[in-house]
Amino acid sequence: MLSLITILIAAFAIGCVLWAVFVIRDVFHPVAILMPMVMYLYVYLPYELISEGLMKQVLFTPEQLSRAQGINLLCIVALGIGCIWGGRGLNPNLERAKKRAGGLIAGKAGTFQSLSALVAKLQARLNADRLYWLAVFLGFVSVSAFVFNISNVGGLFEAYSVEKGGGTAESGYQRDVVFWAVPAIAVLAYCAANDGLRRKYLVSGIVIAMPLLIHGLLGGRRGPTFMILTTMATSWFLSRHRRPNLLLFLSGGCALGVLLLAIATFRDQFRIGSQLMTSTGQAVDSMLEQYEELRASGIERTLGGNEWVYGVNVMLTFEDRNDFFWGTRLLTILFIRPIPRQLWETKYEDVGMERYITNCGLGNADENLMWTSFGAAPGFAGDLFAEFSWGAIVAAWLIGMAYGRAWRAAVAGTGIGLVLYILLAAFSLFLIMQTLEAFVFRMLLTSVPVLIGWKFLASRSAQVPPFAKHGLVARPRAA
């Protein structure tokens, strides 16, 4: 039964991607972004355990494993349908509704519509001039925080010459504000979309992206690596009103997946002074030879931290004890976690959420039915099930709806929609592979300053181009 359910997950995920590519013809549709990660977590990981003969070490019965995988299937279907439902209403067969620098004249527009489009175009360019400084501010804060963080450990070499290195700070906000690079680049994408791909946008984007690139690649960290590369790719194509062709999308996605697997398997190589940095060719050959052996031994050694296994563990543990959060942990993430510990040191204890400190309240070691590595992540389905029980299915649908609506707004020409969708794409790895906490907190941290800045700097009249009012949507063109 476990194999059958896993095949159904694979079929649904592949079907969603094919629908986005060949029906909607947009490789940036949310299902095309989310479902490959779903495939890795809920199809490839259990298959890997079976092929390595490690499934027998998972201390659950076949019936329990099938039940948990069935819940995963329902949440995945709800997520996919939510994405599709949230993005409905666009005309996928509209061949030409040209969008350039925020000004569009759709079809047989009259003189009044032409003038309106011209005014909208001028207003959009004015917005780009204003919002550029918002991007510069966010980027400056991000780069400055990165510099201060690595200076606290002695400099760049000291920070990234060790495995999983990086800077540090006493304040969590000082550490995490480096992620403001993502909204900064997203705002630059909006500016370029409405004012042309100017040199100042390109140079600013590269400078702002460098700290996260360094932190991801030299720190051996999958999350920041995925985050910044996805941000750069989506911003590049969305700012030019184009999409990568299918071959580029598939090859780029596979390359990114291989890079993340390499980071997870050979983390000691992703640092200053490693063989990969000094003798790249030899290191790559050695990594290819050792991959299967090291991957197998790593899976067995960290079985309790395997995302799929931990997700099953969380589901069965919370159901066995009937101990669900029922939204209280989400409220803690939204309203308690943002308060600095320096101001409220015992905040989690005072609100009765002491267990949040251990694996976001999901438990480890003897707290669960099966031993779990500290810091493990259960994936979105297991985490939502711990939060809402069977309401996880509805929650997954609502998340999918949010992705679908943001994609629709981005494609329809809404500036803030474009920025928010880039953020959602950048943090999608945290949603699918980690926890609701990892996803929600990063979205709050990065979207709030953008929304505030947008409120004061952007002209409302330039947010929706004239063509969007008539239900016309620009067809993304392949690069």
Side-chain angles (χ1 to χ4, degrees):
M1 181 61 72
L2 175 63
S3 298
L4 175 60
I5 297 173
T6 304
I7 291 172
L8 291 176
I9 292 175
F12 179 79
I14 292 172
C16 284
V17 174
L18 293 176
W19 176 83
V21 171
F22 294 108
V23 178
I24 297 299
R25 287 192 282 176
D26 188 353
V27 295
F28 284 167
H29 190 280
V31 294
I33 294 175
L34 297 175
M35 289 302 157
M37 289 181 280
V38 165
M39 285 277 290
Y40 172 79
L41 175 54
Y42 297 104
V43 178
Y44 178 74
L45 288 186
Y47 166 77
E48 195 174 40
L49 292 175
I50 295 172
S51 63
E52 295 294 338
L54 297 175
M55 191 64 79
K56 59 180 177 295
Q57 297 184 27
V58 179
L59 305 180
F60 298 115
T61 66
E63 291 75 19
Q64 288 176 313
L65 294 174
S66 298
R67 178 177 178 81
Q69 189 73 328
I71 297 171
N72 290 334
L73 171 62
L74 294 175
C75 289
I76 291 164
V77 171
L79 178 69
I81 292 176
C83 290
I84 295 170
W85 188 262
R88 75 192 189 283
L90 299 182
N91 185 354
N93 297 315
L94 185 61
E95 290 298 335
R96 298 183 62 84
K98 294 183 180 178
K99 176 171 55 176
R100 280 295 178 187
L104 274 198
I105 305 174
K108 300 178 180 179
T111 302
F112 178 76
Q113 288 178 311
S114 301
L115 291 174
S116 297
L118 179 60
V119 171
K121 183 174 182 177
L122 294 174
Q123 288 176 329
R125 287 186 173 177
L126 177 61
N127 272 352
D129 289 337
R130 294 172 176 174
L131 291 169
Y132 171 70
W133 294 108
L134 172 62
V136 169
F137 168 74
L138 294 173
F140 174 78
V141 173
S142 172
V143 173
S144 299
F146 175 79
V147 172
F148 285 129
N149 290 346
I150 63 172
S151 67
N152 288 335
V153 297
L156 191 67
F157 179 82
E158 288 77 9
Y160 293 105
S161 60
V162 297
E163 183 178 338
K164 206 170 183 181
T168 188
E170 292 185 5
S171 169
Y173 277 106
Q174 184 177 328
R175 292 191 301 270
D176 293 338
V177 81
V178 175
F179 295 148
W180 277 13
V182 176
I185 295 171
V187 174
L188 288 175
Y190 167 81
C191 294
N194 290 277
D195 192 31
L197 198 60
R198 297 179 181 270
R199 181 181 299 176
K200 66 177 182 179
Y201 302 144
L202 284 173
V203 173
S204 299
I206 292 171
V207 171
I208 293 169
M210 285 306 297
L212 267 184
L213 275 173
I214 292 171
H215 185 61
L217 295 176
L218 294 184
R221 298 172 185 272
R222 291 174 293 174
T225 300
F226 176 91
M227 183 194 313
I228 191 60
L229 292 178
T230 300
T231 299
M232 293 171 69
T234 53
S235 296
W236 172 257
F237 285 102
L238 289 176
S239 67
R240 297 165 63 236
H241 313 302
R242 289 174 170 82
R243 300 295 187 269
N245 58 44
L246 183 57
L247 179 60
L248 181 58
F249 174 72
L250 292 177
S251 58
C254 290
L256 180 57
V258 169
L259 175 61
L260 298 181
L261 270 177
I263 290 175
T265 308
F266 302 96
R267 183 163 275 135
D268 63 312
Q269 291 287 348
F270 289 85
R271 58 180 177 82
I272 295 177
S274 68
Q275 185 185 26
L276 182 61
M277 302 300 164
T278 57
S279 303
T280 304
Q282 294 179 9
V284 170
D285 290 340
S286 176
M287 290 164 68
L288 291 174
E289 292 175 0
Q290 300 177 42
Y291 173 76
E292 291 188 7
E293 180 182 350
L294 291 179
R295 178 68 182 172
S297 63
I299 294 171
E300 186 172 11
R301 186 177 66 256
T302 60
L303 185 62
N306 179 286
E307 289 89 350
W308 183 79
V309 173
Y310 187 34
V312 170
N313 194 3
V314 166
M315 286 180 179
L316 297 177
T317 298
F318 276 74
E319 187 174 50
D320 179 68
R321 298 173 183 172
N322 193 26
D323 185 25
F324 303 101
F325 288 107
W326 298 117
T328 57
R329 186 183 55 151
L330 179 58
L331 293 175
T332 300
I333 296 168
L334 291 172
F335 300 109
I336 303 301
R337 181 178 172 180
I339 302 174
R341 277 187 175 273
Q342 290 84 349
L343 299 179
W344 189 3
E345 187 174 354
T346 58
K347 57 183 179 179
Y348 297 122
E349 293 82 357
D350 292 346
V351 298
M353 195 59 69
E354 300 92 334
R355 63 183 194 166
Y356 177 80
I357 300 172
T358 304
N359 275 12
C360 302
L362 302 176
N364 70 309
D366 296 332
E367 298 174 13
N368 288 344
L369 297 178
M370 178 180 169
W371 180 87
T372 302
S373 302
F374 182 78
F380 87 100
D383 191 70
L384 289 179
F385 190 78
E387 188 74 49
F388 301 111
S389 183
W390 289 94
I393 301 169
V394 177
W397 181 79
L398 290 174
I399 292 172
M401 279 283 292
Y403 267 87
R405 296 296 291 179
W407 169 80
R408 175 176 176 171
V411 173
T414 305
I416 192 64
L418 181 146
V419 173
L420 291 178
Y421 187 65
I422 291 174
L423 295 182
L424 287 171
F427 300 131
S428 58
L429 182 73
F430 296 98
L431 170 67
I432 299 298
M433 299 296 299
Q434 294 194 12
T435 61
L436 190 66
E437 182 257 5
F439 170 73
V440 169
F441 182 74
R442 285 171 175 81
M443 280 299 300
L444 282 175
L445 180 70
T446 56
S447 63
V448 169
V450 171
L451 293 172
I452 293 174
W454 208 279
K455 174 71 175 178
F456 289 101
L457 295 176
S459 169
R460 292 182 59 85
S461 59
Q463 297 306 301
V464 181
F467 73 97
K469 299 177 182 179
H470 300 280
L472 302 177
V473 180
R475 161 70 60 169
R477 296 190 299 173

